[in-house]
């Protein structure tokens, strides 16, 4: 029990958070994908607390954590994950009670708009909706329009933005100074916050390592600590800087501009993170049972079971994946259109489509891993320790769970981590051709899809595409770097793993 | 004295690993004369192969680095040459053959092409073919013109090793480095390959650096011997001196730990422990922890190299004039307790009876996967083992001995025949019934590295069988039993919370034995349990098996290819050839008076350690060729194509069993 203390603390925290949410005057909404994300988080927490109790499982993870690049990737990934998780707690805020019913009707009516914690955090970004396109950090709209002057005359000019740079009295004169001032402020704030954070953290770490603070800091500066704390601190510093820049520049201006209907692009990009993460992780969750179960069964039992499973995945592989996805998504669309009563809100409808996208992506993508696992099991079952287990009279189920499964887990892990970035990119591609997530759902794919028209107009609107690409690029790059490190640590062929 | 061909001076090769710097080769000096065979002898992990790679400058970089010393070939320091020049040395002046012929050849090129590659550097296209054929002829490959176009998978292991030698010879090297060239081969093939190397050496006058762990091979081949231990040479001498009077305690122990018939019933001398990790810092002699004669100075100082009067020398304080007095004058007589009973024939009740056992694997072909033929891996064998006896099943690789063992255990379903074990007919049991009988027979495997689940702790591994079979009571009782089992196999119970990869090969094999003992078996099938281990560790395991037999009255079915182990351990012997038993009897009958020509050839092929100065002039009844495929065994007696005494009737029908004396059975027309 002691070794699972971390897990219990985590579960209690989750319960407390849920409790707090339920006592708030809001109506919690648990979307399907939310529920699955929670399941995933709990599973992962349980997995890692189990890993911590087994030295042979822990060793390769420690090796991953000793690689500076992997740790940097991990910090970036966790920033994404935090945003994604905040965006996975949904609820409906209560509507303000109508005046005439006050005192008579106590029933609270809830808004049809479903918000997430992230929406609350980003309220200033969410509500500052302009009329149309504006470029990053602009004070005026991107295109000229007819304006009525105070004296009644009509001028065709660039209009002032409602929110972006609204605090400037004289934009032409004050703009550059204001930006510079705010940038310096952001830098200073980040520096102070970073110094405080690093100091507190180091005091904690130094105490745990039973060292003097000065010694510990010197070790960190020279990069001589077991975990690359120097890299972690640098990454955290970069993240802090990003946050202060958003606070200083993103609130009074639109840091990444606005899109066609005036939504803040930074807000859209941040909201897209959840969609990308959900596709990347839930798809794997769907695919794993197929791949692991069928792959191991085919390899272990051989004979007709192997034939049937091989037949299934060969058939599935020979159908073009995109066609299958398009067919499935279109039939889900039809179902949604025929049963509008099933969904209380637009978000719930979009969520169902996202879930089905994950399902169908999962169903089309398990074959590769299944084939790998079949091969590995075929190899393992001839090994002496499996033969010894048979000689002890062990049943097939026990042999599979005790001997085969733990010895193919490294392959599963490597496949899952490698697949993640591919799936994030797949979402963008599928949305681009129109069979991805619901058009009402904010995602990088939809942003890129709408950029198709923006790139064609004159002058070009480039920021939405760039923002989507940038956010996707850093996520995929971090995931790839991390998966490289995981593969190196777990692949027995590199010889640094357990073998 | 002419200048030596190869002169190595204080060569040092290091590896940077996670666990620190490993000094794989730590200050080696040796000289090889032209035309000489120099044997480098040592256990695995002592740096022999790394020495060879350092000479060729093939140390895997950047992890490995040659840090010190010089390697002079005819006076040129190879370590100073640029890589371009080194390429001309490799293959032309120094050639190398490796242990594993299976992986040394490229499977997608014909062997003609592969040999041609090393010839082509010098000659034109037409001449290449002629030269390749000449080389194939030289290494004794029959029908070279046809073999030229064949792929490596069409050749047997011995043939592949011959091809490797042909490739090495292509550049007419001055020095051939042979890294365990025959370790992966059967004894009869080993004898052929060694013979070939001797002949080629006579013809071409090249020097050979022979790297091996096998004292027998050294005795047959070498002119000079150097013994390596933990990265250093501890003794060097010419062959006659070395075999007549080994000086270093390690060399002496190596001789003492070899099993043979003279040591039957005795406990083998063992070298306790194992080779120390080369990553550790040594303050004294590297052998000190395993040495019986060690004195205080051995721990505090590194012994110097003491040159012998004629040539060679030893690295031991015992021969150092300054310290010689401190050693006890009479060598400490290590008391070797005898094994109690010679053949433990107390209960003559038959435990296992196998009759007419056949295992045929079908070969499928075509679209409808029709059965076109069978691999007759085991073809009608019968044997019986009484309680407390050891039956050795001897044969070359591919003769079906392992399949026979597994089919007795029903790990492989037999095609026909019966396996009766103390009343129960194993072949007729349902899988549920069989599970209940599983505890009676257990198995120990050859490879101690693949025989345990790397993700389970030792305690879980040992307990597994007990839990499955419901033996050993509740959890605390089981834990006690695990402790007792570990003690029984000579391990400390403290290790039970560790994982298999933390142990050496010998320790792992002990754990495997403990795992098998956990379910209280009556018979253990030992499938080559010592062939993956070093000689000194092999002795430990053989002693343990013998002790356990005395103590628990276990019966063993000992599957092996090593005849010296058979002589030492077995009570009865069955010799297998191509799925059938060709000779069977008590160990005295078969080993001292072999009847079947195959048994005779097997015995003759084993390299013998000659302690005389004369060298090897024994007549080898060598068998030609290799074992045919069990898919299409030769008509009549399976052995007749290789038999020197074959008669016309051998080709037509299989000889019936002939009983000589009471128990000595052989199947050969010579005795009809």
């Amino acid at each position: 029990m002691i070794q699972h203390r971390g897990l219990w603390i985590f579960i209690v925290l989750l319960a407390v958070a849920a409790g707090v949410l339920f006592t708030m005057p809001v109506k919690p909404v648990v979307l399907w994908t939310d529920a699955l994300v929670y399941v995933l988080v709990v599973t992962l927490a349980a997995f890692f607390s189990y890993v911590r109790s087994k030295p042979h499982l822990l060793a390769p993870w420690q090796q991953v954590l000793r690689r500076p690049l992997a740790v940097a990737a991990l910090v970036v990934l966790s920033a994404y994950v935090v945003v994604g998780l905040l965006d996975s707690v949904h609820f409906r805020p209560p509507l303000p009670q109508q005046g005439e019913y006050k005192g008579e009707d106590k029933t609270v009516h809830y808004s049809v708009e479903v918000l997430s914690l992230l929406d609350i955090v980003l309220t200033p970004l969410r509500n500052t909706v302009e009329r149309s396109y504006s470029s990053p950090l602009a004070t005026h709209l991107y295109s000229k329009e007819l304006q009525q002057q105070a004296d009644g005359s009509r001028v065709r000019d660039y209009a002032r933005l409602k929110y972006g740079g609204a605090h400037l009295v004289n934009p032409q004169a004050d703009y550059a100074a204001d930006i510079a001032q705010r940038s310096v402020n952001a830098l200073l704030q980040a520096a102070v916050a970073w110094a405080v954070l690093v100091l507190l953290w180091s005091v904690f770490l130094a105490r745990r390592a039973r060292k003097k603070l000065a010694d510990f800091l010197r070790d960190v500066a020279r990069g001589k600590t077991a975990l690359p704390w120097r890299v972690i601190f640098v990454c955290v510093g970069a993240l802090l800087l990003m946050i202060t820049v958003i606070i200083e520049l993103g609130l009074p201006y639109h840091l990444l501009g606005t899109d066609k209907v005036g939504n803040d692009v930074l807000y859209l990009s941040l909201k897209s993170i959840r969609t990308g993460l959900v596709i990347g992780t839930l798809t794997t969750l769907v695919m794993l049972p197929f791949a692991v179960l069928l792959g191991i069964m085919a390899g272990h039992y051989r004979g007709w079971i192997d034939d049937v499973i091989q037949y299934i995945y060969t058939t599935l592989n020979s159908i073009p994946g995109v066609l299958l996805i398009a067919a499935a998504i279109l039939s889900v669309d039809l179902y949604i259109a025929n049963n509008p009563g099933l969904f209380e809100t637009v978000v719930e409808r979009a969520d169902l489509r996202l879930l089905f996208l994950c399902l169908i992506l999962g169903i089309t993508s398990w074959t590769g891993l299944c084939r790998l696992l079949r091969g590995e099991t075929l190899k393992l079952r001839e090994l002496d320790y499996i033969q010894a287990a048979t000689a002890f009279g062990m049943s097939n189920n026990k042999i599979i769970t005790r001997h085969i499964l733990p010895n193919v887990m490294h392959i599963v892990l490597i496949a899952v981590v490698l697949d993640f970035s591919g799936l994030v990119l797949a979402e963008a591609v599928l949305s681009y051709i129109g069979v991805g997530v619901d058009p009402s759902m904010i995602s990088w794919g939809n942003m890129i899809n709408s950029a198709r028209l923006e790139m064609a107009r004159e002058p070009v609107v480039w920021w939405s595409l760039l923002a989507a690409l940038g956010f996707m690029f850093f996520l995929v790059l971090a995931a790839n770097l991390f998966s490289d490190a995981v593969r190196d640590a777990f692949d027995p062929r590199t010889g640094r793993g357990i073998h | 004295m002419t200048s030596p061909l190869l002169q190595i001076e204080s060569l040092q090769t290091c590896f940077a690993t996670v666990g620190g710097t490993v000094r794989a080769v730590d200050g080696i000096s040796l000289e090889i004369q032209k035309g000489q065979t120099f044997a480098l002898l040592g256990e695995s992990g002592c740096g022999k192969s790394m020495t060879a790679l350092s000479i060729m400058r093939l140390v895997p970089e950047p992890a490995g680095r040659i840090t010190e010393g010089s390697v002079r070939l005819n006076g040129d320091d190879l370590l100073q040459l640029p890589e371009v020049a080194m390429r001309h040395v490799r293959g032309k002046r120094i050639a190398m053959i490796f242990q594993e012929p299976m992986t040394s050849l490229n499977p997608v090129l014909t062997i003609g092409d592969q040999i041609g590659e090393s010839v082509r550097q010098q000659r034109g296209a037409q001449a290449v073919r002629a030269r390749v054929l000449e080389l194939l002829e030289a290494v004794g490959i029959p029908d070279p013109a046809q073999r030229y176009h064949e792929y490596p998978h069409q050749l047997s292991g011995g043939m592949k090793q011959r091809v490797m030698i042909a490739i090495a010879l292509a550049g007419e090297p001055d020095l051939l480095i042979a890294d365990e060239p025959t370790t992966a081969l059967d004894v009869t093939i080993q004898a052929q390959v060694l013979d070939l190397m001797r002949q080629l050496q006579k013809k071409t006058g090249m020097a050979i650096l022979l790297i091996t762990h096998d004292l027998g091979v050294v005795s047959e081949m070498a002119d000079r011997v150097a013994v390596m231990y933990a990265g250093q040479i501890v003794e060097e001498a010419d062959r006659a001196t070395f075999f007549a009077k080994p000086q270093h305690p390690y060399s002496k122990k190596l001789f003492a730990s070899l099993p043979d018939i003279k040591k039957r019933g005795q406990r083998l001398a063992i070298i306790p422990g194992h080779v120390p990790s080369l990553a550790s810092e040594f303050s004294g002699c590297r052998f000190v922890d395993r040495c019986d004669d060690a004195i205080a100075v051995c721990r505090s100082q590194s012994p110097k190299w003491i040159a012998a009067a004629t040539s060679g020398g030893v690295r031991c304080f015992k021969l150092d004039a300054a310290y010689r007095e401190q050693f006890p004058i009479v060598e400490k007589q290590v008391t070797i307790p005898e094994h109690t009973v010679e053949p433990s024939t107390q209960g003559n009740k038959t435990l296992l009876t196998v009759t007419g056992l056949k295992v045929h694997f079908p070969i499928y072909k075509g679209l409808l996967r029709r059965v076109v033929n069978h691999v007759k891996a085991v073809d009608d064998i019968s044997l019986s083992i009484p309680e407390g006896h050891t039956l050795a099943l001897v044969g070359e690789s591919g003769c079906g001995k392992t399949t026979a063992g597994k089919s007795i255990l029903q790990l492989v379903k037999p095609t026909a025949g019966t396996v009766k074990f103390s009343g129960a007919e194993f072949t007729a049991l349902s899988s549920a019934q069989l599970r209940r009988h599983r505890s009676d027979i257990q198995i120990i495997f050859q490879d101690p590295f693949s025989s345990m689940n790397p993700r389970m702790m030792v305690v879980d591994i040992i307990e597994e069988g007990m839990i499955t079979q419901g033996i050993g009571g509740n959890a605390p009782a089981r834990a006690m039993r695990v402790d007792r089992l570990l003690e029984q196999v000579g391990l400390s119970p403290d290790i039970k919370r560790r994982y298999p990869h933390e142990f050496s090969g010998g320790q792992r094999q002990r754990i495997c034995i403990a795992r098998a003992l956990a379910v209280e078996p009556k018979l253990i099938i030992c499938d080559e349990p010592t062939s993956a281990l070093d000689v000194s560790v092999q002795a430990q395991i053989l002693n343990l098996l013998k002790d356990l037999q005395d103590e628990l009255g276990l019966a063993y079915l000992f599957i092996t290819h090593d005849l010296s182990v058979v002589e030492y351990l077995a009570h009865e012997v069955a010799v297998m050839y191509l799925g059938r038993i060709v000779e069977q009897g008590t160990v005295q009958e078969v080993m001292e008076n072999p009847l079947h020509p195959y048994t005779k050839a097997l015995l003759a092929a084993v390299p013998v350690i000659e302690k005389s100065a004369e060298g090897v002039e024994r007549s080898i009844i060598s068998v030609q060729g290799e074992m045919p495929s069990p898919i299409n065994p030769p008509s009549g007696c399976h052995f007749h194509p290789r038999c020197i005494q074959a008669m016309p009737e051998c080709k037509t029908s299989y000889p019936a069993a002939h009983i000589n004396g009471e128990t000595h059975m052989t199947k050969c027309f010579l005795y009809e």
Side-chain angles (χ1 to χ4, degrees):
Chain A
M1 246 352 134
I2 295 295
Q3 59 205 9
H4 294 297
R5 199 178 51 194
L7 177 65
W8 287 113
I9 292 175
F10 178 77
I11 289 175
V12 168
L13 279 180
L14 270 189
V16 168
V20 167
L21 201 62
F22 275 89
T23 53
M24 299 266 275
V26 291
K27 185 180 182 190
V29 176
V30 179
L31 301 174
W32 274 102
T33 51
D34 286 344
L36 289 172
V37 166
Y38 301 154
V39 169
L40 189 68
V41 168
V42 171
T43 319
L44 280 180
F47 173 71
F48 278 102
S49 89
Y50 176 73
V51 163
R52 279 187 57 141
S53 67
K54 300 272 168 176
H56 72 276
L57 294 174
L58 190 59
W61 284 110
Q62 284 172 333
Q63 196 190 323
V64 170
L65 291 182
R66 275 194 288 271
R67 289 190 33 174
L69 208 55
V71 170
L74 195 63
V75 173
V76 175
L77 280 180
S78 18
Y80 274 94
V81 168
V82 166
V83 173
L85 285 180
L86 281 180
D87 205 7
S88 294
V89 182
H90 289 100
F91 53 84
R92 286 162 66 181
L95 286 173
Q97 299 214 333
Q98 301 296 312
E100 55 228 66
Y101 296 115
K102 222 173 243 176
E104 298 161 25
D105 190 358
K106 287 286 184 194
T107 51
V108 185
H109 291 277
Y110 294 99
S111 154
V112 285
E113 193 185 16
V114 177
L115 293 180
S116 70
L117 282 185
L118 185 74
D119 290 323
I120 302 297
V121 173
L122 298 181
T123 307
L125 291 181
R126 182 165 56 96
N127 289 336
T128 52
V129 180
E130 306 289 349
R131 269 213 303 287
S132 182
Y133 292 120
S134 72
S135 60
L137 294 175
T139 52
H140 292 80
L141 279 179
Y142 196 55
S143 46
K144 288 182 180 172
E145 59 183 29
L146 278 180
Q147 292 172 21
Q148 194 141 22
Q149 299 290 76
D151 55 3
S153 63
R154 288 185 162 200
V155 188
R156 202 176 148 71
D157 196 11
Y158 299 105
R160 272 299 290 273
L161 292 178
K162 229 190 297 176
Y163 302 98
H167 60 289
L168 298 178
V169 182
N170 187 358
Q172 271 81 9
D174 302 342
Y175 179 71
D178 188 54
I179 296 283
Q181 177 63 45
R182 285 176 181 278
S183 306
V184 172
N185 280 355
L187 206 61
L188 287 177
Q189 284 170 13
V192 170
W194 186 72
V196 171
L197 191 71
V198 165
L199 208 64
L200 286 178
W201 207 339
S202 298
V203 167
F204 170 70
L205 288 171
R207 182 167 297 172
R208 214 174 56 171
R210 305 228 162 87
K211 272 187 190 167
K212 275 197 195 135
L213 182 62
D215 292 343
F216 181 78
L217 284 176
R218 196 178 314 122
D219 284 351
V220 169
R222 288 180 188 161
K224 278 190 176 160
T225 45
L227 279 180
W229 283 113
R230 185 170 56 172
V231 178
I232 296 178
F233 287 153
V234 168
C235 287
V236 168
L239 283 177
L240 278 177
L241 183 63
M242 245 179 248
I243 292 172
T244 54
V245 164
I246 290 176
I247 292 171
E248 277 293 312
L249 287 168
L251 298 186
Y253 295 97
H254 297 288
L255 190 58
L256 295 173
T258 53
D259 72 351
K260 189 173 181 187
V261 288
N263 285 323
D264 189 287
V265 173
L266 177 64
Y267 171 71
L268 296 181
S269 308
L270 287 171
K271 283 288 278 182
S272 300
I273 288 176
R274 175 177 186 269
T275 317
L277 289 181
V278 163
I279 297 249
T281 51
L282 289 194
T283 305
T284 350
L285 204 66
V286 171
M287 153 196 115
L288 273 189
F290 286 102
V292 173
L293 201 70
L294 295 182
I296 292 182
M297 272 171 65
H300 184 70
Y301 291 105
R302 298 192 291 189
W304 66 267
I305 295 180
D306 187 20
D307 288 347
V308 169
I309 292 170
Q310 277 196 73
Y311 181 79
I312 292 174
Y313 72 59
T314 319
T315 312
L316 207 60
N317 252 4
S318 54
I319 304 171
V322 175
L323 209 65
L324 213 59
I325 293 166
I329 289 300
L330 291 179
S331 43
V332 170
D333 264 357
L334 198 67
Y335 175 77
I336 290 172
N338 289 342
N339 300 281
L342 286 176
F343 311 101
E344 287 188 29
T345 57
V346 183
V347 172
E348 281 176 34
R349 214 179 60 203
D351 182 69
L352 189 77
R353 188 162 152 169
L354 176 66
L355 181 67
F356 269 89
L357 186 65
C358 290
L359 279 179
I360 192 68
L361 272 175
I363 288 169
T364 51
S365 66
W366 59 273
T367 52
L369 179 60
C370 183
R371 186 175 295 168
L372 271 179
L373 290 180
R374 173 180 171 269
E376 186 69 13
T377 310
L378 278 176
K379 195 184 89 192
L380 280 178
R381 79 185 300 283
E382 294 304 322
L383 281 188
D384 291 340
Y385 60 86
I386 310 264
Q387 301 257 315
T390 319
F392 280 133
M394 263 196 158
S395 64
N396 281 323
N397 290 339
K398 261 192 140 176
I399 289 180
I400 288 178
T401 49
R402 273 181 75 97
H403 291 295
I404 296 180
L405 193 61
N407 283 296
V408 296
M409 273 325 268
H410 66 280
I411 296 186
V412 174
L413 194 76
I414 293 167
V416 165
V417 183
L418 281 180
D419 278 356
F420 171 79
S421 47
L423 288 167
V424 173
L425 295 175
E427 186 271 328
V429 173
L430 290 175
S431 297
Y432 182 79
I433 59 172
V435 290
V437 294
D438 194 84
S440 72
M441 182 167 247
I442 303 171
S443 84
W444 291 316
N446 280 337
M447 283 169 78
I448 293 170
N449 189 22
S450 58
R452 188 157 40 163
L453 296 172
E454 294 166 0
M455 298 303 283
R457 86 191 269 292
E458 184 62 39
V460 168
V461 173
W462 45 268
W463 47 88
S464 311
L465 182 68
L466 212 66
L469 287 183
F471 271 79
M472 226 156 70
F473 172 77
F474 280 109
L475 175 61
V476 171
L477 182 69
N480 281 348
L481 287 176
F482 187 66
S483 61
D484 261 358
V486 169
R487 191 186 47 206
D488 282 354
F490 281 86
D491 199 336
R493 275 171 301 184
T494 55
R496 279 170 294 173
I498 177 140
H499 294 281
Chain B
M1 199 172 171
T2 53
S3 70
L5 174 73
L6 184 81
Q7 191 175 20
I8 301 178
E9 235 165 278
S10 54
L11 179 72
Q12 195 176 50
T13 304
C14 295
F15 275 85
T17 62
V18 186
T21 310
V22 172
R23 283 186 298 274
V25 181
D26 197 5
I28 279 197
S29 305
L30 55 86
E31 284 179 5
I32 302 178
Q33 308 295 332
K34 287 189 182 73
Q36 191 181 49
T37 303
F38 190 100
L40 205 52
L41 178 75
E43 291 179 276
S44 57
C46 70
K48 314 186 290 286
S49 296
M50 213 35 77
T51 308
L53 291 177
S54 302
I55 295 171
M56 296 283 272
R57 271 201 18 216
L58 289 173
V59 177
E61 287 180 357
R65 225 156 22 90
I66 300 173
T67 46
E68 244 183 77
S70 63
V71 176
R72 289 180 192 284
L73 183 69
N74 280 332
D76 309 333
D77 191 345
L78 299 184
L79 301 185
Q80 305 302 328
L81 288 181
E83 183 61 28
V84 184
M86 196 59 209
R87 253 176 247 156
H88 292 282
V89 173
R90 291 188 201 123
K92 293 222 186 74
R93 293 170 65 188
I94 307 180
M96 191 159 173
I97 52 179
F98 297 91
Q99 172 175 2
E100 199 52 74
M102 315 297 160
T103 53
S104 306
L105 290 169
N106 184 342
V108 296
L109 292 178
T110 63
I111 61 166
D113 286 343
Q114 299 194 46
I115 302 175
E117 248 171 29
S118 40
V119 175
R120 198 160 292 142
Q121 297 165 358
Q122 329 147 10
R123 294 154 209 263
Q126 258 311 313
V128 167
R129 190 183 151 82
R131 171 78 177 135
V132 170
L133 292 179
E134 188 188 315
L135 282 168
L136 284 173
E137 190 93 48
V139 295
I141 290 183
D143 204 1
Q146 194 203 329
R147 296 287 178 186
Y148 187 93
H149 296 291
E150 284 185 1
Y151 289 90
H153 71 266
Q154 290 167 295
L155 303 181
S156 62
M159 283 293 168
K160 279 184 201 159
Q161 198 58 294
R162 282 170 193 264
V163 171
M164 284 308 296
I165 295 175
I167 292 176
L169 288 179
E172 292 163 356
D174 302 326
L175 174 67
L176 177 70
I177 300 178
D179 188 357
E180 304 263 9
T182 56
T183 308
L185 305 175
D186 284 314
V187 267
T188 57
I189 312 301
Q190 164 171 301
Q192 292 171 16
V193 170
L194 292 180
D195 194 42
L196 171 72
M197 283 170 62
R198 264 197 301 266
Q199 283 171 22
L200 289 171
Q201 188 178 26
K202 245 180 233 163
K203 227 183 287 173
T204 61
M206 66 183 170
I208 297 180
L209 173 61
L210 179 72
I211 293 171
T212 182
H213 69 279
D214 189 338
L215 278 166
V217 172
V218 174
S219 156
E220 297 224 326
M221 297 287 293
D223 299 317
R224 285 194 74 76
V225 185
V227 183
M228 255 188 109
Y229 187 79
Q232 288 184 329
I233 291 181
V234 293
E235 178 167 3
E236 192 197 328
D238 61 62
R239 203 231 4 251
T241 324
F242 178 72
F243 282 89
K245 199 167 184 299
Q247 296 287 334
H248 197 277
Y250 176 62
S251 322
K252 288 182 193 165
K253 281 279 196 171
L254 275 185
F255 281 105
S257 60
L258 282 179
D260 72 45
I261 195 147
K262 286 177 219 116
K263 295 179 188 148
R264 255 183 95 83
Q266 294 173 10
R267 188 175 270 277
L268 290 171
I270 56 162
I271 312 182
H274 47 93
V275 184
S277 157
L278 292 171
S280 47
E281 287 286 333
F282 298 101
S283 59
C285 172
R286 295 174 183 206
F287 186 60
V288 64
D289 288 331
R290 308 175 72 185
C291 186
D292 293 329
D293 305 331
I295 56 169
V297 68
C298 298
R299 292 194 183 274
S300 56
Q301 281 179 45
S302 268
K304 282 187 206 58
W305 181 252
I306 317 243
T310 48
S311 68
V314 188
R315 195 182 289 278
C316 182
F317 281 117
K318 258 176 126 178
L319 295 133
D320 193 330
Y323 297 101
R324 194 175 298 159
E325 262 71 87
Q326 298 179 22
F327 285 89
I329 298 158
V330 184
E331 279 188 27
K332 214 189 284 173
Q333 203 61 51
V334 189
T335 45
I336 301 173
E338 304 274 312
H339 287 294
T340 42
V341 207
E342 226 260 67
S344 50
T345 31
Q346 62 274 40
N348 245 335
K349 222 178 85 198
T350 307
L351 198 60
L352 173 80
T353 317
V354 176
T355 28
L357 187 72
K358 286 184 186 176
V359 183
H360 293 183
F361 297 111
I363 303 169
Y364 299 102
K365 219 171 187 177
L367 195 63
L368 296 172
R369 316 238 296 149
R370 274 180 313 160
V371 177
V372 288
N373 207 339
H374 286 93
V375 178
K376 292 175 180 152
V378 177
D379 197 17
D380 195 7
I381 69 166
S382 303
L383 44 86
S384 67
I385 306 176
E387 273 176 2
H389 275 232
T390 303
L391 172 73
L393 197 55
V394 189
E396 291 177 281
S397 56
C399 74
K401 52 190 194 305
T402 296
T403 312
K406 286 190 178 167
S407 65
I408 289 171
L409 260 177
Q410 310 293 311
L411 289 179
V412 176
K413 265 265 166 261
T415 315
T418 60
V419 177
K420 237 192 200 81
F421 187 86
S422 49
E425 174 53 59
F426 270 31
T427 50
L429 293 178
S430 74
S431 57
Q433 287 171 314
L434 191 61
R435 256 174 221 159
R436 284 197 291 280
H437 284 280
R438 285 285 189 199
S439 62
D440 290 341
I441 311 185
Q442 279 300 310
I443 183 164
I444 302 169
F445 297 96
Q446 170 176 10
D447 182 3
F449 291 89
S450 72
S451 54
M452 279 183 283
N453 188 339
R455 303 189 190 260
M456 281 167 72
M457 285 189 292
V458 169
V459 59
D460 296 329
I461 289 170
I462 297 177
E463 257 186 352
E464 186 165 53
M466 287 195 266
I467 295 171
T468 315
Q469 288 292 333
I471 293 173
N474 56 3
R478 274 204 309 270
M480 296 247 303
R481 196 171 147 72
V482 169
D483 291 356
R484 213 168 51 241
L485 283 165
L486 283 173
E487 272 165 13
Q488 211 166 15
V489 297
L491 293 170
S492 152
D494 304 338
I495 59 138
K496 66 181 177 180
R497 302 249 165 244
R498 290 171 39 192
Y499 289 92
H501 69 270
E502 299 172 51
F503 297 97
S504 67
Q507 287 173 320
R508 283 171 185 232
Q509 207 59 296
R510 285 170 190 270
I511 298 171
C512 288
I513 294 172
R515 170 174 69 179
L517 288 178
V519 294
E520 298 166 346
K522 300 191 185 86
L523 170 72
I524 298 184
I525 297 178
C526 306
D527 189 357
E528 308 243 17
T530 58
S531 64
L533 305 176
D534 285 316
V535 184
S536 64
V537 182
Q538 166 177 312
Q540 297 172 8
I541 298 295
L542 291 179
N543 278 342
L544 174 64
L545 286 172
K546 197 89 182 149
D547 285 346
L548 289 172
Q549 184 166 50
D550 292 345
E551 203 177 310
L552 306 170
L554 291 172
Y556 293 129
L557 174 62
F558 204 91
I559 298 170
T560 183
H561 68 276
D562 188 341
L563 290 164
S564 58
V565 174
V566 173
E567 287 172 333
Y568 171 71
L569 197 71
H571 302 121
E572 280 118 60
V573 185
V575 182
M576 254 183 108
Y577 186 75
L578 217 60
R580 297 192 180 178
I581 292 176
V582 295
E583 183 162 0
Q584 194 171 9
T586 63
V587 69
Q588 286 83 2
E589 286 168 344
V590 177
M591 292 293 148
E592 284 159 22
N593 181 27
L595 295 176
H596 198 281
Y598 177 63
T599 317
K600 288 180 188 168
L602 262 187
L603 284 170
V606 179
V608 182
I609 297 166
E610 294 282 337
K611 298 207 174 181
S612 67
E614 302 301 307
V616 201
E617 293 304 331
R618 63 199 180 87
S619 61
I620 297 174
I621 317 167
S622 76
V623 270
Q624 291 310 308
E626 305 188 6
M627 194 173 352
S629 147
I631 300 172
N632 286 313
S635 61
C637 173
H638 290 171
F639 188 60
H640 84 258
R642 300 172 73 189
C643 184
I644 43 170
Q645 289 166 291
M647 298 176 288
E649 61 260 45
C650 294
K651 292 196 178 78
T652 50
S653 58
Y654 200 88
H658 174 84
I659 308 287
N660 184 26
E662 273 177 48
T663 50
H664 195 172
M665 184 278 290
T666 185
K667 288 177 184 167
C668 182
F669 284 116
L670 287 173
Y671 306 100
E672 293 282 302

